[in-house]
């Protein structure tokens, strides 16, 4: 079929009036040689066709008219960018000649409107179109309406469209990344995370192969450990960067993507034989190339900006999840046995010193692990010895003394772990409004006994000072730690001052940078020996102590700092040798007033109280079950969330749910939410030994920290059941 020819218009007055005032397309129509078009010369067009063309040409909306049985295309300036390279060749020509790749999709829609006269409309309708040299899926809001001739017959189809491709792609990208972000943490294992992510991305982009290649360092190449591939050879193994592209490594290490389309005159490298296109996305951390996301396609394609952004953001998110999962697995392996953990940490210390030349940092890590091993071994020894003696010689009087000794050692171990969690900012706090004046007044007798007669105490705290939002028990421990440190620094006696204020009050400490305005400070100052600059620089390191063996674990100041930071505040310490020390906590003020709630008693269970106990650790579950039964509760146990949900779905209804937080299938909080979907008012108590859970993440559920005594467990359950009424 001949194509219409476009010639320069000599005079606008020579063109039919209905072709005027239409911009660039109008000029093309005026200068076209219509002998090659089925429409013929414009003067011979029907009145209906002339009228609709005169209307669409100056319109600002994207409009295309398909006229006659051959659906000859006429459109305006606003529409021409929509078809890209098809313009201007498609103008005045049958649609099949230029819309061939989507004709099987488009023609039934046009024919339906032409034969029935009924309008067709759709939102975000997908169309596969080749408008930039490569095929791509685009999206449009469309309205196809019949255009009638004077005799009532349908002469053509008027299509008003709006290209929504950019918006749809953005929404799909955001939805994809959101779904990925919600799914990956629950998979746990790095291998499962990687397998799930590459499969999902391959489906989303229509790729033939997707995988991660981990950088081998020094530009040597990359290693592919897992991949998703369909109908193409595997890439598993190690490969040089140059085997993909001679310039690939230089691009990737600079943070640039590498996009390639392979054609007959530019075939792919041997490693990518059979591929039509490739997209390689770098993953950098601290400006160092860590991994590459490899995405390969069977056919050449348009690399849309949104697809490239999707690949880049997916690569960052997935690699971060993989790295985190690997770190968690490494930590779990280290925690399997204390001796193995210490040995591995020491090996890592030596290797890191050679590789990173960070002797100071590795010295602190070694000190931390050694201190943990030393203190825990001291506490485990009487526990193990007491239990062995009780088993061999079950004398009641002797057993009572041995059990008391074991419990004291266990309590010391519990306090040590609590301090470690406080330093690591992983303790589950119970923040509440606390009046500093009242707290210090209640502790005054304990402080005085701890200091002795040679040290005087001054307290300068205004009772009208705003309450602070903090875990009251942890704040008491922190204050006591600071008081004891001050006592040890005043061996010959002295003066200890406890003061508090708000913000930059006169005579108070300097407000630290980076903290929110209006924080309340609590300061403990002494007139003791003070610290040298060297000791001051290291005093917050865990297990660093200048005291003699047995006089301190070196966790006091790290615990105080951990509590302050985790509570949303800060911690600072100033000291001069021979002049004393000032230690200051900064804590956020509480918006709520002080609570005045009398403590509830912790009686035994009422007859018939039923507890659903869920914990995937058999030893912990068995010990908790025995404590509950001794308290008089009827206990039904489950070793996982799925087993517990099956019990509830079977119709069994407990009076209270007691669940561990860290479980393999799902967290205790997530499990409790699922239970609340079935039993909306069921009281829930979550027990946890290591979880940095904020109040928002707890969704209002009560928490009991491990390890706990039977009295603490009884008190928590009694409070829950009393509230339920």
């Amino acid at each position: 079929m001949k194509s219409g020819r476009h010639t320069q218009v000599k005079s606008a007055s020579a063109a039919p009036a209905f072709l005027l005032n239409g911009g660039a397309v109008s000029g093309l129509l005026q200068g076209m040689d219509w002998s090659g078009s089925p429409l013929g010369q414009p003067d011979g067009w029907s009145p209906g066709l002339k009228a609709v063309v005169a209307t669409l040409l100056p319109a600002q909306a994207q409009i295309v008219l398909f006229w006659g049985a051959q659906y000859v295309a006429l459109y305006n300036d606003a529409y021409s960018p929509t078809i890209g390279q098809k313009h201007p060749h498609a103008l005045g020509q049958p649609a099949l000649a230029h819309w061939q790749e989507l004709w099987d999709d488009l023609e039934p829609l046009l024919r339906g409107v032409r034969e029935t006269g009924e309008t067709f409309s759709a939102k975000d309708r997908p169309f596969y179109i080749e408008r930039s040299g490569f095929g791509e899926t685009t999206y449009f809001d469309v309205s196809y309406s019949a255009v009638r001739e004077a005799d009532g017959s349908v002469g053509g189809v008027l299509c008003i469209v709006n290209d929504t491709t950019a918006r749809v792609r953005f929404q799909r990208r955001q939805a994809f990344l959101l779904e990925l972000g919600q799914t990956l943490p629950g998979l746990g294992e790095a291998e499962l995370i990687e397998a799930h992510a590459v499969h999902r991305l391959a489906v989303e982009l229509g790729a033939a192969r997707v995988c991660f290649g981990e950088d081998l360092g020094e530009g040597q190449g990359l290693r592919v450990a897992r991949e998703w591939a369909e109908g193409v050879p595997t890439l598993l193994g190690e490969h040089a960067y140059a085997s993909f592209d001679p310039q690939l490594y230089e691009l990737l290490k600079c943070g640039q993507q590498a996009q390639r389309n392979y054609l007959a005159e530019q075939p792919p490298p041997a490693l990518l034989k059979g591929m039509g296109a490739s997209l390689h996305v770098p993953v950098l951390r601290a400006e160092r190339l860590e991994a590459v996301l490899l995405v390969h396609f069977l056919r050449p394609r348009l690399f849309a900006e949104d697809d490239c952004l999707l690949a880049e953001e997916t690569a960052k998110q997935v690699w971060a999840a993989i790295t985190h999962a690997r770190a968690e697995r490494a930590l779990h392996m280290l925690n399997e046995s204390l001796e193995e953990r210490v040995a591995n940490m020491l090996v890592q210390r030596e290797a890191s010193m050679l590789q990173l030349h960070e002797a100071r940092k590795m010295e602190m890590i070694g000190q931390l692990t050694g201190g943990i091993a030393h203190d825990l071994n001291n506490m485990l020894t009487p526990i193990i010895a007491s239990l062995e003696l009780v088993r061999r010689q079950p004398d009641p009087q002797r057993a009572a003394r041995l059990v008391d000794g074991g419990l004291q050692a266990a309590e010391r171990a519990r306090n040590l772990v609590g301090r470690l969690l406080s330093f690591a900012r992983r303790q589950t706090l119970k923040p509440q409004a606390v009046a500093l004046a009242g707290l210090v007044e209640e502790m005054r007798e304990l402080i005085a006994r701890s200091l002795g007669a040679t040290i005087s105490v001054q307290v300068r705290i205004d009772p009208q000072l705003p309450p602070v939002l903090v875990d009251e028990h942890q704040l008491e421990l922190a204050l006591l730690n600071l008081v004891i440190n001050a006592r040890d620094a005043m061996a010959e006696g002295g003066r200890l001052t406890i003061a508090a204020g708000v913000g930059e009050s006169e005579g108070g400490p300097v407000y630290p940078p980076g903290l929110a305005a209006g924080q309340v400070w609590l300061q403990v100052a002494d007139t003791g020996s003070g610290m040298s600059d060297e000791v001051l620089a290291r005093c917050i390191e865990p297990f660093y102590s200048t005291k003699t063996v047995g006089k301190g674990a070196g966790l006091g100041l790290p615990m105080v700092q951990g509590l302050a930071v985790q509570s949303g505040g800060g911690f600072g310490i100033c000291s001069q040798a021979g002049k004393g020390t000032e230690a200051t906590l900064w804590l956020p003020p509480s918006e709520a007033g002080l609570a005045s709630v009398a403590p509830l008693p912790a009686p035994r269970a009422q007859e018939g109280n039923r507890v659903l106990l869920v914990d995937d650790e058999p030893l912990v579950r068995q010990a908790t079950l025995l404590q509950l039964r001794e308290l008089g509760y009827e206990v039904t146990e489950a070793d996982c969330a799925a087993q517990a949900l099956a019990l509830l779905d079977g119709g069994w209804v407990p009076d209270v749910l007691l669940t561990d937080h860290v479980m393999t299938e799902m967290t205790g909080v997530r499990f409790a939410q699922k239970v609340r979907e079935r039993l909306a008012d069921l009281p829930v108590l979550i027990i946890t030994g290591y979880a940095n859970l904020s109040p928002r993440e707890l969704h209002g559920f009560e928490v009991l920290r491990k390890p706990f005594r039977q009295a603490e467990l009884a008190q928590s359950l009694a409070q829950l059941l009393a509230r339920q009424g």
Side-chain angles (χ1 to χ4, degrees):
M1 179 177 290
K2 296 181 180 179
S3 298
R5 297 190 299 274
H6 306 282
T7 60
Q8 183 66 35
V9 178
K10 295 180 179 179
S11 171
S13 62
F18 68 88
L19 293 181
L20 303 179
N21 303 322
V25 171
S26 176
L28 291 172
L29 292 175
Q30 295 169 44
M32 181 180 293
D33 178 2
W34 290 96
S35 62
S37 172
L39 295 178
Q41 296 298 324
D43 289 337
W45 292 358
S46 69
L49 177 56
K50 291 178 180 180
V52 73
V53 170
T55 301
L56 72 86
L57 284 177
Q60 297 301 308
Q62 302 170 46
I63 304 176
V64 57
L65 173 67
F66 293 106
W67 193 261
Q70 296 187 58
Y71 301 106
V72 177
L74 297 168
Y75 47 84
N76 60 6
D77 282 6
Y79 179 80
S80 59
T82 302
I83 56 174
Q85 297 177 1
K86 297 179 184 296
H87 175 72
H89 312 291
L91 196 59
Q93 297 302 311
L96 178 59
H98 295 281
W99 277 266
Q100 186 173 4
E101 74 278 8
L102 73 157
W103 193 241
D104 289 343
D105 185 20
L106 179 61
E107 189 273 337
L109 301 180
L110 298 177
R111 176 162 41 85
V113 175
R114 192 166 183 271
E115 291 178 354
T116 66
E118 296 179 359
T119 297
F120 169 79
S121 64
K123 294 286 187 182
D124 297 328
R125 174 68 157 75
F127 292 95
Y128 177 81
I129 187 170
E130 297 173 359
R131 58 181 179 181
S132 56
F134 301 100
E136 58 178 308
T137 299
T138 56
Y139 299 86
F140 293 89
D141 290 343
V142 299
S143 177
Y144 295 174
S145 302
V147 178
R148 298 185 182 273
E149 294 280 29
D151 61 0
S153 63
V154 177
V157 181
L158 184 69
C159 303
I160 302 175
V161 303
N162 179 34
D163 190 343
T164 61
T165 303
R167 175 177 58 77
V168 172
R169 286 178 176 171
F170 174 79
Q171 291 175 342
R172 291 188 60 175
R173 173 164 60 93
Q174 294 302 105
F176 179 87
L177 294 172
L178 178 61
E179 184 271 336
L180 207 61
Q182 293 172 340
T183 303
L184 296 187
L187 298 177
E189 296 295 329
E191 294 80 5
L192 296 178
I193 291 172
E194 185 173 355
H196 175 82
V198 296
H199 180 216
R200 287 284 293 109
L201 186 61
V203 173
E204 186 70 15
L205 296 179
R209 175 171 54 221
V210 178
C211 56
F212 278 94
E214 190 162 2
D215 181 66
L216 298 175
E218 304 298 331
Q220 300 177 51
L222 54 83
R223 179 190 299 110
V224 178
R226 276 160 296 280
E227 68 178 352
W228 185 91
E230 187 173 39
V232 296
T234 182
L235 265 186
L236 297 179
E238 296 184 1
H239 307 283
Y241 285 108
S243 61
F244 295 94
D245 188 326
Q247 304 300 319
L248 180 60
Y249 182 70
E250 295 300 320
L251 290 172
L252 295 175
K253 75 176 185 178
C254 295
Q256 300 180 38
Q257 296 184 6
Q259 306 166 4
R260 297 288 185 269
N261 277 303
Y262 306 116
L263 306 172
E265 60 274 16
Q266 294 179 325
L271 189 62
L272 300 181
K273 184 178 180 180
M275 295 294 101
S278 65
L279 174 63
H280 296 147
V281 181
V283 180
L284 281 75
R285 185 164 62 174
E287 299 183 356
R288 186 183 74 81
L289 182 65
E290 281 200 350
V292 185
L293 175 65
L294 301 97
V295 187
H296 299 147
F297 304 90
L298 289 175
R299 293 190 299 272
R301 63 180 284 126
L302 170 71
F303 288 102
E305 180 182 2
D306 199 82
D307 289 345
C308 296
L309 282 173
L310 175 63
E312 179 181 348
E313 293 176 14
T314 299
K316 292 178 182 178
Q317 182 171 317
V318 173
W319 193 252
I322 290 173
T323 304
H324 181 73
R326 289 176 176 177
E328 281 196 339
R329 181 167 58 186
L331 180 62
H332 177 73
M333 294 174 65
L334 285 173
N335 286 333
E336 287 184 353
S337 86
L338 188 58
E339 292 182 2
E340 182 180 356
R341 180 183 180 185
V342 173
N344 288 340
M345 291 295 288
L346 292 174
V347 171
Q348 290 180 12
R349 187 185 84 172
E350 296 300 325
S352 296
M353 286 176 65
L354 295 175
Q355 183 179 3
L356 304 176
H357 305 286
E358 295 184 355
R360 177 69 178 277
K361 181 184 295 185
M362 298 315 301
E363 178 186 355
M364 185 176 69
I365 294 175
Q367 189 175 11
L368 171 64
T369 54
I372 295 172
H374 175 269
D375 281 16
L376 281 181
N377 281 334
N378 282 345
M379 298 163 193
L380 289 173
T381 298
I383 296 173
I384 294 172
S386 297
L387 292 175
E388 286 183 338
L389 290 171
V390 168
R391 184 173 63 180
R392 287 200 300 265
Q393 300 177 7
D395 176 64
Q397 293 183 345
R398 179 182 178 88
R401 293 195 303 273
L402 291 172
V403 169
D404 286 342
L407 284 174
Q408 290 176 8
E411 187 66 27
R412 288 180 59 203
R414 168 175 149 167
N415 290 335
L416 173 64
V417 172
R419 289 182 177 185
L420 286 171
L421 290 176
S422 179
F423 163 71
R425 304 168 197 168
R426 290 296 184 270
Q427 60 191 352
T428 301
L429 299 178
K430 292 184 178 179
Q432 63 187 67
V434 177
L436 293 180
L439 179 137
V440 173
E441 184 61 32
E442 290 177 1
M443 294 182 64
R444 191 155 191 161
E445 183 178 351
L446 175 62
I447 291 173
R449 286 202 308 268
S450 301
L451 292 174
T454 61
I455 299 175
S456 63
V457 180
Q458 291 183 0
V459 177
R460 298 200 304 267
I461 302 179
D462 186 352
Q464 302 302 317
L465 200 66
V468 294
L469 186 64
V470 69
D471 186 310
E472 183 174 11
H473 175 64
Q474 293 295 325
L475 181 58
E476 289 174 349
L477 291 178
L479 181 57
L480 194 58
N481 270 313
L482 295 178
V483 168
I484 291 173
N485 282 348
R487 178 202 65 189
D488 294 344
M490 296 185 288
E492 304 299 325
R495 182 178 68 257
L496 181 136
T497 302
I498 303 176
V502 178
E504 298 187 31
S505 53
E506 185 176 352
V510 178
Y511 202 86
L515 282 186
Q519 296 235 341
V520 179
W521 54 268
L522 175 65
Q523 185 181 84
V524 177
D526 65 65
T527 59
S529 58
M531 291 180 275
S532 66
D533 291 343
E534 179 184 357
V535 173
L536 181 62
R538 301 188 61 190
C539 66
I540 302 181
E541 293 181 11
F543 289 103
Y544 176 78
S545 177
T546 58
K547 300 176 183 178
T548 58
V549 176
K551 295 296 184 180
L555 282 175
L557 291 179
M559 173 265 179
V560 175
Q561 183 192 45
L563 171 66
V565 174
Q566 193 178 353
S567 299
F571 177 68
I573 186 165
C574 301
S575 185
Q576 285 185 318
K579 294 186 178 181
T581 301
E582 294 179 349
T584 308
L585 286 96
W586 295 84
L587 299 168
S590 172
E591 296 179 0
L594 294 172
S596 178
V597 180
L600 293 174
R604 293 175 56 81
Q606 296 182 8
E607 185 176 354
N609 280 155
R610 294 176 296 182
V611 176
L612 174 56
L613 172 63
V614 185
D615 197 314
D616 57 0
E617 289 289 342
L619 291 176
V620 177
R621 189 174 67 251
Q622 178 65 18
T624 307
L625 182 144
L626 293 175
Q627 287 181 313
L628 289 168
R629 286 181 175 169
E630 189 175 81
L631 289 169
Y633 288 98
E634 296 180 10
V635 185
T636 299
E637 58 179 312
D639 60 8
C640 64
Q643 184 181 2
L645 290 173
L647 286 171
L648 299 179
D649 291 338
W652 184 74
V653 179
D655 296 307
V656 64
L657 168 63
L658 180 62
T659 177
D660 187 27
H661 177 67
V662 180
M663 297 188 291
T664 54
E665 292 181 352
M666 66 179 73
T667 65
V669 170
R670 179 61 184 145
F671 166 57
Q673 288 177 304
K674 287 184 173 292
V675 172
R676 282 281 178 85
E677 292 173 2
R678 295 162 169 80
L679 301 170
D681 298 325
L682 182 68
V684 175
L685 180 62
I686 294 176
I687 53 177
T688 177
Y690 181 77
N692 185 19
L693 297 173
S694 67
R696 179 180 59 82
E697 293 169 325
L698 284 171
H699 294 279
F701 296 121
E702 293 293 329
V703 173
L704 178 63
R705 287 186 290 247
K706 294 179 184 177
F708 50 81
R709 291 180 175 270
Q710 187 182 44
E712 295 170 328
L713 176 62
Q715 177 74 25
S716 297
L717 290 176
Q719 289 177 344
L720 279 174
L721 291 169
R723 281 186 216 146
Q724 190 70 9

